[in-house]
Amino acid sequence: MCRHLGWLGRDVAISTLVLDPPHSLRVQSYAPRRQKHGMMNADGWGVGFFDRATPRRWRSTTPLWGDVSFDSVAPALRSHCVVASVRSATIGMPIELSATAPFTDGRWLLAHNGVVDRAVLPATASAEPICDSTLLAALIFSRGLDALDEVILQLGADDPNARLNILAANGSRMLATTWGDTLSVLRRADGVVLASEPYDDDPNWQDIPDRHLVDVTPDGVTITALRGSR
Ligand code: GLN
């Protein structure tokens, strides 16, 4: 399982979210505290952020802990909306940029923490193995993020072994699901953080129960149960 983190709020330096906290994504790349599947997240990383309305991404297939260029530049990158991830590739998935979150359709940035049987996702014409998360992101983009709950419930029914923790943001809204792995929320005075696991020991982190949808807007955080037939 990968680890991801999202931010919606005031402009902040990206290093303060991703690199500086004591249990930041950088630390989670080699020593996650709550990871249930896999031991570390060394198969690449991606930081996406909104530059006004434009999503921009910096991704790599090397470990975040060793990226001195990102370490140098991240304090100068500021954004009000961020989706970042460190990756532990699922067995059989390619380690390449096309498989590295966050994914984008030009409007949303999206990360997937989990695994889903590619047989339940729409087929592609490619003969090459394509990462489950890449296909899943394409499906969610094609259905539209307003249908995120429906897509997750359907895939969860089609693949009972799927783990479907999604994190997505479009600059003014942030959505996340819990389906098989951890997620926590931190409401700060200057914005909201969603993260696979807390980046510090602030007692204000709140754990999100499994099989829930989190919807963050400037008006607040809404947490609702995902109810399927199962
Ligand atoms: N299945 C995805 C991949 O291979 C995500 C893996 C994960 O969450 N660790 O990249």
Side-chain angles (χ1 to χ4, degrees):
M1 289 293 225
C2 312
R3 308 276 81 185
H4 51 216
L5 172 140
W7 168 254
L8 184 66
R10 306 277 282 268
D11 258 17
V12 294
I14 287 176
S15 54
T16 65
L17 296 170
V18 173
L19 301 179
D20 300 342
H23 298 284
S24 64
L25 277 187
R26 171 157 56 187
V27 174
Q28 291 172 34
S29 70
Y30 58 85
R33 294 193 289 179
R34 296 192 179 180
Q35 193 150 340
K36 297 190 215 156
H37 303 272
M39 296 177 66
M40 51 168 33
N41 299 285
D43 299 320
W45 59 273
V47 171
F49 58 95
F50 283 84
D51 168 17
R52 295 199 178 88
T54 305
R56 303 194 185 280
R57 294 180 292 169
W58 186 340
R59 295 178 296 161
S60 166
T61 55
T62 61
L64 180 57
W65 71 73
D67 200 309
V68 293
S69 294
F70 184 69
D71 182 67
S72 167
V73 172
L77 296 176
R78 299 182 67 84
S79 180
H80 66 288
C81 185
V82 175
V83 175
S85 165
V86 290
R87 182 174 182 221
S88 169
T90 299
I91 303 290
M93 304 297 164
I95 298 179
E96 56 189 31
L97 278 190
S98 70
T100 307
F103 307 99
T104 189
D105 63 350
R107 295 195 311 130
W108 288 84
L109 293 166
L110 185 149
H112 170 223
N113 171 199
V115 61
V116 58
D117 187 345
R118 285 172 293 196
V120 305
L121 295 168
T124 66
S126 171
E128 298 291 326
I130 296 178
C131 181
D132 59 347
S133 305
T134 311
L135 295 170
L136 174 58
L139 173 65
I140 293 169
F141 291 145
S142 74
R143 292 282 301 274
L145 270 291
D146 284 334
L148 178 62
D149 51 349
E150 290 167 28
V151 174
I152 297 306
L153 285 167
Q154 184 64 51
L155 292 174
D158 292 347
D159 176 6
N161 296 319
R163 299 192 301 271
L164 300 162
N165 279 43
I166 300 293
L167 172 65
N170 70 353
S172 59
R173 187 180 180 196
M174 186 158 62
L175 291 169
T177 57
T178 53
W179 193 280
D181 207 334
T182 55
L183 185 75
S184 299
V185 59
L186 179 67
R187 295 168 177 86
R188 299 187 351 189
D190 56 348
V192 175
V193 186
L194 293 177
S196 301
E197 49 187 85
Y199 60 46
D200 62 16
D201 291 328
D202 187 329
N204 292 316
W205 284 98
Q206 177 192 348
D207 294 341
I208 309 292
D210 198 35
R211 301 198 172 192
H212 278 65
L213 176 75
V214 186
D215 194 343
V216 183
T217 68
D219 295 332
V221 180
T222 310
I223 302 168
T224 50
L226 286 166
R227 292 195 205 286
S229 51
R230 293 175 63 245

